[in-house]
Amino acid sequence: MVVLTSAGGIISLLDETEEELKVYALQQLDALVDQFWAEIADAVSKIEELYENEDFRQRELAALVASKVYYHLGDYEDSLQFALGAGKLLDLGTKSEYVETVISKCIDKYIALRTASDASPVDSRLESVVERMFQRCFEDGEYKQAIGIALESQRLDVVEESISRASKVDQDILSYVMEAAMTLVESVEFRNKLLRSLVKLYNNLKEPDYFSVAQCLVHLNDPSSCAEMLKSLLSSGEDSKLVAYQVAFDLEENATQQFLARVKAGLPVGDTDAMETDDKISDAAAFNKIREILGGELSIKLNLEFLHRNNHADLLILKSSKTALESRNSVFHTAITFSNAFMHAGTTSDEFLRQNLEWLSRATNWTKFSATAALGVIHKGQISLGKALLAPYLPKDGVSGSAYSEGGALFALGLIHANHGDAVIEHLSTALKTHQNEVIQHGACLGLGVAAMATDNDDLYETIKNVLFADSAVAGEAAGLAMGLVMLGTASSKAIDEMLQYAHDTQHEKIIRGLAVGISMIMYGREETADALIEQLLSDKDPILRYGGIFTIAMAYAGTGNNKALKKLLHFAVSDVNDDVRRAAVTSIGFLLFRNHKQVPRIVQLLSESYNPHVRYGATLALGISCAGTGLEDALAILEPLTKDPVDYVRQGALISLAMVLVQHNEAMSPKVVATRKLYEKLISEKHEDAMSKFGAVLGQGIIDAGGRNVTISLQSRSGYANMSAIVGTAIFCQFWYWYPLTHFLSLAFTPTAIIALNGKLEIPKLEYVSNARSSLFAYHPPTKPPAVETVQKVTTAVLSTTAKAQARARRHEKDKGGKDTPATGGPPNSATSLTVTDAMDVDAPAATPTTEAKPKKNKKKDESFEILQNLTRVLPQQLKYITFKEEDRYQPVKRTITGGITIVKDLRPSEAEELISLSSSQPQAAAVSSTTAAPASTPAAASTTNPAPATDSDPAPPEAFEYRD
């Protein structure tokens, strides 16, 4: 067989005058171009001439050959242009590198033109190729691929057609589109159109998915449609009422206070005296229950009950840390205060405070402020008793107490009512107006910001603004934060203009910083709407406002993974002249990518090795924020070396982030937990360790055991969407670099990890469900063991052979004289007691052997491959995929996917009597302090609750009154 070694002869045919010869040459070159493209490239101009000649009948063939030549030359732009000219000769079904590359370039260009801001016209030939690509996807059954291209090119019609075709073979295609819409689509306008379309599609299903509809409506900010849906469900039968209750709980978890208030306003006013029957609930009572759920009171009460019942906080850890640290050092005192608050967050347990009243009394000034505010974290969710708990420390008319204690109490009141502040907003607002002390105003502003988060309350905004204009550095910083929190996510141009103007006018750095972070809060979740403000802030000459611009990117694009925003953060992380801005830029990567946390270690790997310690510190927090609660090995591999960094605050960041990543992990889930806990103990007990590292270690101990080991840190809700209060709380927590009292904001990110099942009457039935994993995998970390009691055993004195022989001779001598058979000492012949001091040889006695007390052996429990769990039990996020309800069980969840949290279950045997779990009767009591001793300066522990262990029979007596020592 003759092998062709050159295409020269065929190329020469292009110079012939006969058109048939030219066509023949092109046909042959098309077949040989992959082999002889370098030789054909010299004649590509001739091929182009043929394509440009409108009289040539095989122009498309000439374009195809030219396209392939340019492809091999690496000129993909020209290759694409000629490929478009090839028309139908470009066979998209051919499996070759050339075709795949051309298709890829076509799609990229099509997407770029479709999403361009100047609305550039799209080449009809390009559109034809893409349309053929869609048809190819449909024919091959690659519906998800078609949806992906359609989403990026904003082709809503193709998305809908793909769903219509795919729904016949894939029932989960809508869930796929929903997830893709929230994570891939960058255009807010197109996303809203897509969500509207999804609402229709979900409602048109044979069994409508009301839970997904509710999520779409929350993102569309459409409370009226939510109210209509709830009304429709409540009037459609008993099963639909259960669905309505579950939808209401989902709304309460994901929506803002303002949204929920509008939903409640859209519901008909029910008769509060409506009676319930055993079998059916009246519509009026059902609407009242929906209002109760949307108000958040029921969710908070149930989560509080869960944390109270299952508290596994280890007081021995706190006790050891307190003993090891110098209590007169305010940094260490504050660290223990924060650690205790986090460890007991939401548990209502103040046992550590009661046991250490004398230590607590040493708190002074801002340490006292933080100690009092810690009560808000410990009692977070006690909305019905918040004022009573804090009554001894709240400001009182005519009574002058410690301003730090009173300010901390106001902050604590806001933390107790975090994101559910209707009951205390007026009280906090009044306190802010009537007190001129800057410390009290500081606490009142922080409390108002937390309690009135995202309410868009103009009156409250004006009240806080008046405090800002007083130009007090301490009160002004908190006012700037509070203004941003009240207007959270509103993108209010009026608020932004006023805050930005004042930031330029004032000389106080604290106020500028508070305003900068507050401005970022106003743009929460606004994505490209915030771009103009971001550019304005990042171009400002004031580094503090550039710092605010970085956090504006973090808040506006939180969880989106937006490439443009990520590039901007990386640019400022390595180029800005200010270390604070660079640190914030790296930290903000964590906020941007918490949905794709596995990418973060790869992105910050090089940054964690930067020469600049601020950049390294930012890398630690980025990992802690994005990988919180995941135990990701790649993140731990970067953080561990940073715990030995030469710079103290880098070590601090690494220690805090380690705790965030490993929260709720045991040795079975992550073997590095044990080493991390030992590292904390070692650093805290090390006398020569820097104070900042010790602060990070103590804080880490509180975070890793947060909420009695029953909460995780998550910037996502259980449904997988951005958790607003958690994101905002974590962002403000990052400001503890400048101001320690802001550390308490991390408690807003604590999410209880439980399954709490409720029946149709919103009562807690006794039920069981199965965890199809071995029990040790998700067990609590074992408690710290107290030091073992050692006893010293006396070792028998050694008897030398020479001494024994001498004694034997003496005995024989005595016997010969008619003496007694026994030696003078009366002991047995070889007994050690028969020796006198002079008999013993002067040798070193063996050391006493320490032996621990004998412990009875326990029969090890067999680690079963599954576990039966009860209602109100801890279930970790990683454990949810193993949870199942048996088909024969009496109770079945109304929601198909088990996401944890509060779950409505249907009773399949309603005629049988139900066994219910009653809520704990022990409620925290305000301290019984007489009027002469109830000064606000008294210890926070006096108004706290008792140890929440379920086995306690009665509350301990209130502690004796005492005063802080200034």
Side-chain angles (χ1 to χ4, degrees):
M1 182 178 177
V2 179
V3 178
L4 196 63
T5 58
S6 171
I10 299 173
I11 293 172
S12 65
L13 293 177
L14 296 175
D15 296 323
E16 295 292 334
T17 56
E18 294 290 334
E19 187 171 313
E20 286 77 3
L21 292 175
K22 295 178 181 178
V23 171
Y24 174 78
L26 290 174
Q27 290 171 342
Q28 295 301 311
L29 291 175
D30 181 38
L32 300 171
V33 67
D34 292 336
Q35 185 179 357
F36 298 108
W37 59 268
E39 195 175 352
I40 300 171
D42 294 334
V44 73
S45 57
K46 298 176 182 178
I47 300 172
E48 288 183 31
E49 288 176 9
L50 292 175
Y51 167 66
E52 292 167 0
N53 183 359
E54 295 184 1
D55 295 331
F56 185 61
R57 59 184 173 87
Q58 290 290 344
R59 291 181 62 213
E60 292 180 348
L61 181 59
L64 181 61
V65 175
S67 173
K68 290 181 178 180
V69 171
Y70 281 117
Y71 161 74
H72 286 291
L73 289 171
D75 189 347
Y76 298 123
E77 188 65 31
D78 284 344
S79 176
L80 174 60
Q81 289 301 321
F82 283 108
L84 294 177
K88 293 185 179 180
L89 288 181
L90 179 65
D91 185 3
L92 302 182
T94 304
K95 302 292 184 183
S96 69
E97 269 190 44
Y98 165 71
V99 173
E100 296 299 331
T101 303
V102 168
I103 290 174
S104 175
K105 295 298 177 183
C106 272
I107 292 171
D108 288 345
K109 186 160 188 177
Y110 182 72
I111 290 170
L113 292 172
R114 289 276 304 176
T115 57
S117 55
D118 57 357
S120 305
V122 179
D123 190 329
S124 59
R125 299 175 302 170
L126 181 63
E127 196 153 6
S128 173
V129 172
V130 175
E131 289 292 343
R132 286 161 58 199
M133 185 63 203
F134 283 136
Q135 290 302 319
R136 174 183 162 186
C137 290
F138 293 154
E139 290 167 4
D140 295 345
E142 298 289 346
Y143 300 110
K144 290 184 178 179
Q145 188 177 32
I147 288 171
I149 299 170
L151 288 176
E152 289 200 61
S153 59
Q154 300 183 11
R155 286 288 300 275
L156 188 58
D157 57 327
V158 177
V159 173
E160 291 175 344
E161 185 180 355
S162 301
I163 293 172
S164 175
R165 288 171 178 258
S167 58
K168 299 172 184 176
V169 292
D170 187 354
Q171 298 300 319
D172 295 325
I173 194 68
L174 280 173
S175 301
Y176 172 79
V177 175
M178 179 75 167
E179 184 180 354
M182 301 313 304
T183 56
L184 299 177
V185 179
E186 295 183 358
S187 168
V188 175
E189 182 183 356
F190 176 70
R191 186 191 305 142
N192 288 344
K193 291 179 182 177
L194 179 59
L195 291 175
R196 285 286 176 198
S197 177
L198 286 175
V199 168
K200 293 178 184 176
L201 293 168
Y202 276 123
N203 281 323
N204 291 336
L205 292 175
K206 188 176 180 181
E207 294 182 5
D209 187 348
Y210 295 107
F211 309 115
S212 297
V213 170
Q215 295 300 328
C216 292
L217 294 176
V218 168
H219 288 292
L220 291 168
N221 195 25
D222 189 356
S224 59
S225 295
C226 276
E228 290 299 322
M229 181 175 67
L230 289 172
K231 285 192 285 188
S232 172
L233 286 169
L234 290 175
S235 60
S236 301
E238 294 303 312
D239 288 351
S240 295
K241 282 181 182 177
L242 299 180
V243 174
Y245 293 152
Q246 185 67 68
V247 168
F249 277 116
D250 290 353
L251 288 173
E252 190 277 330
E253 182 184 11
N254 294 297
T256 64
Q257 290 188 69
Q258 184 189 31
F259 186 94
L260 295 173
R262 290 177 179 173
V263 174
K264 287 194 287 185
L267 298 175
V269 178
D271 179 10
T272 56
D273 297 326
M275 298 297 292
E276 295 185 10
T277 63
D278 291 337
D279 299 324
K280 292 188 177 182
I281 304 172
S282 69
D283 288 343
F287 280 116
N288 289 337
K289 287 188 179 295
I290 290 289
R291 283 193 190 82
E292 183 186 4
I293 294 170
L294 294 176
E297 294 87 353
L298 186 55
S299 301
I300 291 171
K301 188 191 300 182
L302 293 169
N303 284 324
L304 201 65
E305 179 72 15
F306 161 70
L307 294 174
H308 178 81
R309 283 171 175 263
N310 297 280
N311 182 13
H312 280 69
D314 195 339
L315 292 180
L316 196 57
I317 294 175
L318 286 171
K319 182 180 177 182
S320 301
S321 298
K322 181 185 76 69
T323 304
L325 298 174
E326 173 56 54
S327 62
R328 286 192 178 89
N329 187 317
S330 63
V331 173
F332 296 154
H333 197 292
T334 302
I336 296 291
T337 299
F338 290 143
S339 184
N340 175 56
F342 290 157
M343 203 175 284
H344 294 94
T347 65
T348 71
S349 170
D350 71 331
E351 185 178 350
F352 177 77
L353 299 178
R354 288 180 178 274
Q355 291 176 359
N356 298 279
L357 297 179
E358 193 273 335
W359 167 84
L360 194 59
S361 68
R362 297 175 192 168
T364 60
N365 300 334
W366 287 106
T367 306
K368 185 189 300 184
F369 179 95
S370 296
T372 314
L375 283 179
V377 179
I378 293 172
H379 293 284
K380 186 172 179 285
Q382 283 282 6
I383 55 179
S384 59
L385 299 171
K387 289 183 185 177
L389 288 165
L390 298 170
Y393 333 108
L394 289 169
K396 295 182 179 65
D397 294 334
V399 179
S400 62
S402 167
Y404 295 98
S405 214
E406 293 175 351
L410 292 171
F411 183 20
L413 191 61
L415 288 169
I416 288 174
H417 294 79
N419 208 18
H420 295 87
D422 290 344
V424 294
I425 287 176
E426 187 176 348
H427 179 90
L428 290 169
S429 181
T430 302
L432 185 61
K433 293 174 185 174
T434 55
H435 292 84
Q436 301 305 312
N437 185 291
E438 62 179 8
V439 178
I440 295 177
Q441 288 183 332
H442 182 89
C445 283
L446 291 179
L448 272 173
V450 179
M453 191 186 298
T455 54
D456 193 15
N457 188 324
D458 283 327
D459 294 337
L460 202 55
Y461 170 82
E462 293 296 329
T463 301
I464 300 171
K465 188 173 73 173
N466 292 334
V467 175
L468 174 72
F469 287 168
D471 207 39
S472 162
V474 173
E477 180 182 31
L481 285 170
M483 291 163 72
L485 288 170
V486 171
M487 307 302 286
L488 180 66
T490 61
S492 168
S493 56
K494 174 197 168 190
I496 290 172
D497 290 344
E498 290 177 345
M499 294 168 73
L500 201 52
Q501 182 61 44
Y502 196 79
H504 284 119
D505 292 343
T506 187
Q507 299 299 311
H508 294 292
E509 281 192 6
K510 285 175 72 69
I511 295 179
I512 299 172
R513 186 171 294 110
L515 288 168
V517 177
I519 288 170
S520 72
M521 299 296 158
I522 295 176
M523 280 299 179
Y524 170 81
R526 306 303 290 196
E527 300 186 35
E528 64 246 31
T529 309
D531 285 349
L533 176 64
I534 289 170
E535 291 299 329
Q536 182 182 354
L537 291 172
L538 292 180
S539 60
D540 200 287
K541 63 180 180 180
D542 188 338
I544 301 177
L545 288 178
R546 294 203 303 277
Y547 177 90
I550 294 295
F551 269 96
T552 305
I553 295 176
M555 294 296 98
Y557 290 97
T560 64
N562 185 282
N563 285 330
K564 182 179 65 174
L566 183 59
K567 286 179 183 177
K568 198 164 290 186
L569 289 177
L570 290 171
H571 171 72
F572 274 86
V574 297
S575 66
D576 199 275
V577 295
N578 185 271
D579 284 336
D580 288 347
V581 177
R582 297 180 69 175
R583 185 182 68 249
V586 184
T587 301
S588 296
I589 293 172
F591 289 101
L592 217 64
L593 295 173
F594 66 78
R595 278 201 180 105
N596 301 310
H597 62 273
K598 292 183 179 178
Q599 295 182 12
V600 179
R602 178 174 56 83
I603 292 174
V604 303
Q605 172 70 54
L606 292 176
L607 295 172
S608 69
E609 300 168 5
S610 169
Y611 73 93
N612 189 320
H614 288 266
V615 173
R616 298 200 299 274
Y617 177 90
T620 65
L621 281 191
L623 289 168
I625 291 165
S626 61
C627 303
T630 64
L632 187 66
E633 287 292 330
D634 292 342
L636 297 175
I638 295 174
L639 289 172
E640 280 182 323
L642 291 173
T643 60
K644 302 181 181 110
D645 195 273
V647 181
D648 54 359
Y649 56 79
V650 177
R651 296 198 297 274
Q652 181 194 78
L655 293 168
I656 292 172
S657 296
L658 273 175
M660 296 174 74
V661 174
L662 291 173
V663 63
Q664 279 199 320
H665 279 65
N666 59 22
E667 190 174 3
M669 296 172 69
S670 178
K672 294 184 179 178
V673 168
V674 176
T676 301
R677 290 178 179 272
K678 287 182 179 177
L679 176 63
Y680 291 151
E681 294 175 14
K682 177 188 171 187
L683 293 176
I684 291 168
S685 59
E686 180 63 53
K687 289 186 178 180
H688 303 293
E689 186 61 53
D690 292 305
M692 293 190 76
S693 297
K694 289 188 176 184
F695 182 93
V698 176
L699 216 58
Q701 285 185 328
I703 293 170
I704 203 169
D705 287 340
R709 297 180 175 170
N710 290 304
V711 301
T712 188
I713 298 173
S714 176
L715 303 193
Q716 295 186 76
S717 69
R718 294 183 182 91
S719 305
Y721 303 108
N723 184 339
M724 180 192 69
S725 60
I727 293 169
V728 170
T730 307
I732 300 180
F733 163 74
C734 292
Q735 313 310 315
F736 84 91
W737 174 279
Y738 306 101
W739 194 234
Y740 279 160
L742 299 180
T743 306
H744 285 309
F745 274 89
L746 184 62
S747 63
L748 299 182
F750 292 165
T751 304
T753 51
I755 289 180
I756 304 173
L758 300 181
N759 62 15
K761 296 179 182 178
L762 303 186
E763 297 168 330
I764 310 173
K766 284 189 177 180
L767 56 80
E768 295 179 344
Y769 46 89
V770 181
S771 172
N772 294 295
R774 65 182 195 275
S775 57
S776 61
L777 183 58
F778 300 111
Y780 286 100
H781 186 81
T784 306
K785 295 180 181 178
V789 179
E790 295 184 349
T791 58
V792 179
Q793 266 187 352
K794 188 175 180 180
V795 179
T796 305
T797 306
V799 179
L800 299 178
S801 60
T802 55
T803 306
K805 290 177 181 177
Q807 288 174 342
R809 283 196 300 270
R811 282 195 298 273
R812 282 196 301 272
H813 182 68
E814 290 293 330
K815 188 176 181 181
D816 292 342
K817 289 183 178 182
K820 295 182 180 180
D821 291 339
T822 57
T825 57
N830 292 326
S831 171
T833 57
S834 65
L835 297 178
T836 62
V837 176
T838 57
D839 290 330
M841 182 177 178
D842 189 14
V843 295
D844 293 336
T849 306
T851 59
T852 57
E853 291 182 350
K855 294 182 180 177
K857 288 186 178 180
K858 293 183 180 178
N859 292 327
K860 284 192 176 179
K861 213 175 177 184
K862 187 179 177 183
D863 197 4
E864 300 286 352
S865 60
F866 68 94
E867 185 180 11
I868 303 297
L869 301 177
Q870 308 293 326
N871 205 355
L872 275 176
T873 305
R874 185 181 84 152
V875 177
L876 303 186
Q878 300 91 331
Q879 191 178 2
L880 288 171
K881 60 187 176 184
Y882 299 107
I883 298 297
T884 56
F885 284 74
K886 293 181 180 178
E887 291 184 5
E888 66 272 15
D889 285 351
R890 175 175 181 175
Y891 299 99
Q892 294 295 327
V894 298
K895 201 174 184 179
R896 185 176 60 175
T897 305
I898 298 174
T899 56
I902 298 173
T903 303
I904 300 295
V905 293
K906 181 181 178 182
D907 186 356
L908 300 182
R909 298 194 286 272
S911 58
E912 298 179 13
E914 281 189 289
E915 200 175 351
L916 302 175
I917 299 175
S918 58
L919 296 180
S920 175
S921 58
S922 60
Q923 295 290 348
Q925 302 289 328
V929 186
S930 65
S931 58
T932 58
T933 60
S938 62
T939 172
S944 308
T945 184
T946 60
N947 184 355
T952 50
D953 296 324
S954 60
D955 292 345
E960 296 179 5
F962 69 96
E963 296 181 356
Y964 283 108
R965 295 175 183 172
D966 292 325

